[in-house]
Amino acid sequence: MLVTLQGAVAVGIAIVLVIRGLLGHDQTATSGYGTAAWFAILGGAVLAAGIALITGRRWGRTIAVVAQLLLLPVSWSLLTDSHQPAYGVLLAVVVVAALVLLFSSPSSRWMADEYGDEAS
């Protein structure tokens, strides 16, 4: 569910950025449409991975793990360079929780079931 939530938030941000661009907000500092496309593509992939995990498809775990590993430096940046410690701590807690759940014993057993012992 955490991975699905992350993907949904990213897609939501993409929608907000497109709406802001259509309403004429200033985009001289950043490209709202380009950033929206980036969030939509990556957020859509993470959302698809989360839905895949919820529905029992193993391929979603790989995308979920990669997304969490990419978000760890983002949380560090929020804690240090961006001076937004509240967001950094919140993101770090969610990312670490997702990684712990993705690598927990039940999750690892579930992933290994496909490669069961054929000698039995």
Side-chain angles (χ1 to χ4, degrees), residues 35 37 54 64 106 117:
T35 305
I54 290 171
D117 186 13

Side-chain angles (χ1 to χ4, degrees), residues 6-102:
Q6 289 172 338
V9 167
V11 170
I13 289 171
I15 292 168
V16 168
L17 289 172
V18 168
I19 291 171
R20 284 177 49 92
L22 292 173
L23 293 176
H25 285 267
D26 183 28
Q27 294 191 26
T28 56
T30 61
S31 170
Y33 295 120
T35 305
W38 182 253
F39 271 92
I41 292 167
L42 293 179
V46 172
L47 180 60
I51 292 170
L53 287 171
I54 290 171
T55 59
R57 293 178 177 85
R58 289 176 173 83
W59 62 264
R61 187 175 188 223
T62 302
I63 296 172
V65 169
V66 170
Q68 304 319 303
L69 293 176
L70 291 174
L71 284 171
L72 278 175
V74 173
S75 65
W76 179 256
S77 176
L78 287 169
L79 285 167
T80 57
D81 299 335
S82 297
H83 306 293
Q84 306 234 353
Y87 292 123
V89 168
L90 178 64
L91 181 61
V93 167
V94 171
V95 167
V96 170
L99 281 170
V100 166
L101 292 171
L102 286 166

